[in-house]
């Protein structure tokens, strides 16, 4: 058996952050990833992720983490020697009574963030690509931005390796257990490792590694699309078009990013409702998925409804309340896990990596993670239904 100090299962957004956090503390770290380096089969692909300052999802839970997350990205960018966040501004729009609009405005005011509250006419005037109806309003957050997930994960892994982490790709974790002589064992399809600490950051597969906790996780198949707009690309490029979220009320929420010359204009639906087994995901392009997005564009941004240039499928792992799960195993010391980011967790990746490092090594975290504990569902304790 190979002996080390800490093992991380999963090297996506949060696993790469945890591997870096643990290696920085001088621990010997082994990272285990079933896929290839930089693969897009989980939740961390798709070329772009939002990072916001106003937060409608649950301001009380998330606003305390946001400032720390921005600081973590700035520090990571400096250490990596490359900018990992690009400020584009962000538009969050919906009817006056929508959670997106009300929650964004409330959180911006609570944090005294620079922002503009816009009516539909002003949205259409500022960004002619949008044709939203008069019932819509929006909050413009000039400090929001985008992150290239593949580049960010590569940076965290590069820095983790520089700090001494031993990273294994195309090696599948099969099981873990308390070791008979103390500590923990992790079995993979290639070896057995012994360690004092374990972080489980396996995304859509996290439930497989803590089945005794009976976590209420659902995995969604999320189709993602890029289109060639029907306007000059300069009109929808970075510096002209912000990243955006629009709650349609009748068909849920859609989102997008400024034009990417390599792929096109990203426009997709947030939450598909298509619950899947993460080991049996249909990654083909479905006509119905494309048409659903085109129906949104015909009504709200018809000049975006051009040729489909690219498509992919990623995964969301959701909880019933759409909040995160970040916790320690209640019966086995030294084990921490995070998953179920419900489609909005990437922006916190380096911060959650640090939290996981804290939880695994000490059982506690400096950041306020009470709202994300697993036992809030009446589960998360062995033997509880």
């Amino acid at each position: 058996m190979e002996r080390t100090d800490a093992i991380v299962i999963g090297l996506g957004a949060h696993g790469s952050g945890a591997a870096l956090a643990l290696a920085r503390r001088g621990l010997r770290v082994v990272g285990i990833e079933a896929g290839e380096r930089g693969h897009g089969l989980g939740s961390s692909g798709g070329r772009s992720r939002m990072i916001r300052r106003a937060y409608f999802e649950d301001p009380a839970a998330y606003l305390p983490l946001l400032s720390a997350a921005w600081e973590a990205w700035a520090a990571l960018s400096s250490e990596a020697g490359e900018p990992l966040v690009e400020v584009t501004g962000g538009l969050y729009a919906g009817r006056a009574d929508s959670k997106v609009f009300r929650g964004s405005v409330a959180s911006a005011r609570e944090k005294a963030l620079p922002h503009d509250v816009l009516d539909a006419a002003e949205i259409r005037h500022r960004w002619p690509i949008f044709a939203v109806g008069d019932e819509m309003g929006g909050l413009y957050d000039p400090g929001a931005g985008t992150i290239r997930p593949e580049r960010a994960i590569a940076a965290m892994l590069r820095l983790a390796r520089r700090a001494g982490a031993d990273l294994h790709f195309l090696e599948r974790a099969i099981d873990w257990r308390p070791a008979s002589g103390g500590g923990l064992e992790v079995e993979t399809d290639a070896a057995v490792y012994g360690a004092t600490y374990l972080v489980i950051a396996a995304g859509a597969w996290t439930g497989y590694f803590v089945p005794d906790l009976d976590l209420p996780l659902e995995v969604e198949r999320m189709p993602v699309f890029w289109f060639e707009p029907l306007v000059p690309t300069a009109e929808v490029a970075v510096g002209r078009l912000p990243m955006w979220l629009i709650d349609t009320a009748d068909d849920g929420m859609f989102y997008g990013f400024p034009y990417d010359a390599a792929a096109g204009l990203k426009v997709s639906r947030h939450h598909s409702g298509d619950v899947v087994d993460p080991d049996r995901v249909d990654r083909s392009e479905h006509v119905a998925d494309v048409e659903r997005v085109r129906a949104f564009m015909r009504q709200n941004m018809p000049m975006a409804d051009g040729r489909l240039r690219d498509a992919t499928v990623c995964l969301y792992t959701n909880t019933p309340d759409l909040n995160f799960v970040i916790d320690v195993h209640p019966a086995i010391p030294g084990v921490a896990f995070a998953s179920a980011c419900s489609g909005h967790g990437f922006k916190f990746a380096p911060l959650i990596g640090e939290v996981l490092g804290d939880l695994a090594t000490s059982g506690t975290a400096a950041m306020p993670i009470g709202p994300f504990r697993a036992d809030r569902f009446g589960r998360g304790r062995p033997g509880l239904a």
Side-chain angles (χ1 to χ4, degrees):
M1 182 193 305
E2 289 191 43
R3 297 292 309 180
T4 191
D5 296 322
I7 297 170
V8 178
I9 297 176
L11 294 174
H14 299 153
S16 60
L20 174 57
L22 290 163
R24 278 174 170 160
R25 300 173 195 207
L27 299 177
R28 295 171 299 158
V29 177
V30 171
I32 305 295
E33 171 56 54
E36 297 178 344
R37 181 188 290 270
H39 73 83
L41 301 179
S43 304
S44 297
R47 303 182 66 89
S48 52
R49 289 293 185 278
M50 297 181 178
I51 181 164
R52 292 175 272 144
R53 293 187 182 273
Y55 219 75
F56 67 85
E57 284 86 347
D58 185 346
Y62 293 101
L63 287 180
L65 306 182
L66 268 175
S67 294
W70 277 90
E71 291 171 3
W73 282 113
L76 185 65
S77 296
S78 178
E79 188 176 0
E82 60 176 320
L84 297 174
V85 175
E86 182 175 31
V87 174
T88 62
L91 172 68
Y92 323 125
R95 296 174 186 265
D97 61 350
S98 70
K99 184 178 180 180
V100 170
F101 180 66
R102 287 188 298 104
S104 297
V105 171
S107 65
R109 288 174 175 167
E110 179 180 338
K111 296 290 287 185
L113 299 174
H115 68 277
D116 297 325
V117 177
L118 311 175
D119 62 17
E122 182 63 19
I123 293 172
R124 296 190 297 259
H125 174 71
R126 290 196 187 191
W127 305 288
I129 193 74
F130 295 120
V132 296
D134 288 340
E135 73 283 3
M136 292 287 206
L139 177 127
Y140 178 61
D141 172 7
T146 64
I147 303 167
R148 296 281 191 181
E150 296 88 351
R151 181 188 300 169
I153 290 172
M156 287 189 282
L157 293 176
R158 184 172 68 252
L159 294 171
R161 189 182 292 278
R162 184 187 301 171
D166 183 14
L167 307 179
H168 298 210
F169 297 91
L170 295 173
E171 184 172 344
R172 182 177 295 274
I174 297 171
D175 196 12
W176 68 273
R177 52 194 169 259
S180 58
L184 304 162
E185 291 179 357
V186 174
E187 179 183 355
T188 76
D189 56 8
V192 177
Y193 303 88
T196 305
Y197 310 114
L198 171 63
V199 168
I200 299 167
W205 294 267
T206 294
Y208 295 174
F209 293 102
V210 285
D212 53 329
L213 304 189
D214 192 27
L215 299 176
L217 308 182
E218 284 189 343
V219 178
E220 271 185 301
R221 172 186 176 274
M222 295 303 306
V224 181
F225 303 107
W226 290 264
F227 299 86
E228 189 65 21
L230 303 176
V231 296
T233 57
E235 294 184 18
V236 289
V238 172
R240 183 68 187 92
L241 182 70
M243 60 80 167
W244 54 269
L245 287 160
I246 295 178
D247 187 347
T248 65
D250 57 348
D251 194 29
M253 193 185 310
F254 292 76
Y255 69 94
F257 293 84
Y259 186 80
D260 180 341
L265 192 66
K266 186 175 182 179
V267 182
S268 298
R269 191 177 190 271
H270 183 50
H271 291 295
S272 69
D274 186 4
V275 177
V276 297
D277 178 337
D279 287 321
R280 296 175 176 83
V281 179
D282 180 357
R283 298 184 181 275
S284 62
E285 179 187 311
H286 293 185
V287 172
D289 293 334
V290 180
E291 175 53 30
R292 192 175 197 178
V293 175
R294 288 196 184 278
F296 162 81
M297 290 194 293
R298 285 195 294 269
Q299 182 173 355
N300 296 280
M301 45 192 316
M303 299 309 290
D305 189 17
R307 174 176 61 91
L308 179 65
R309 283 188 53 181
D310 201 3
T312 191
V313 169
C314 69
L315 303 177
Y316 283 1
T317 308
N318 303 319
T319 61
D321 60 11
L322 298 182
N323 285 336
F324 303 167
V325 172
I326 309 171
D327 212 341
V328 295
H329 194 284
I332 304 173
V335 180
F337 59 92
S339 184
C341 290
S342 303
H344 60 112
F346 194 97
K347 63 183 69 65
F348 298 98
L351 179 65
I352 291 178
E354 291 289 344
V355 169
L356 287 169
D358 289 342
L359 291 174
T361 57
S362 71
T364 62
M367 298 303 300
I369 61 167
F372 311 128
R373 294 290 190 179
D375 61 359
R376 70 183 187 272
F377 304 112
R379 306 180 186 184
R381 293 290 181 265
L384 292 182

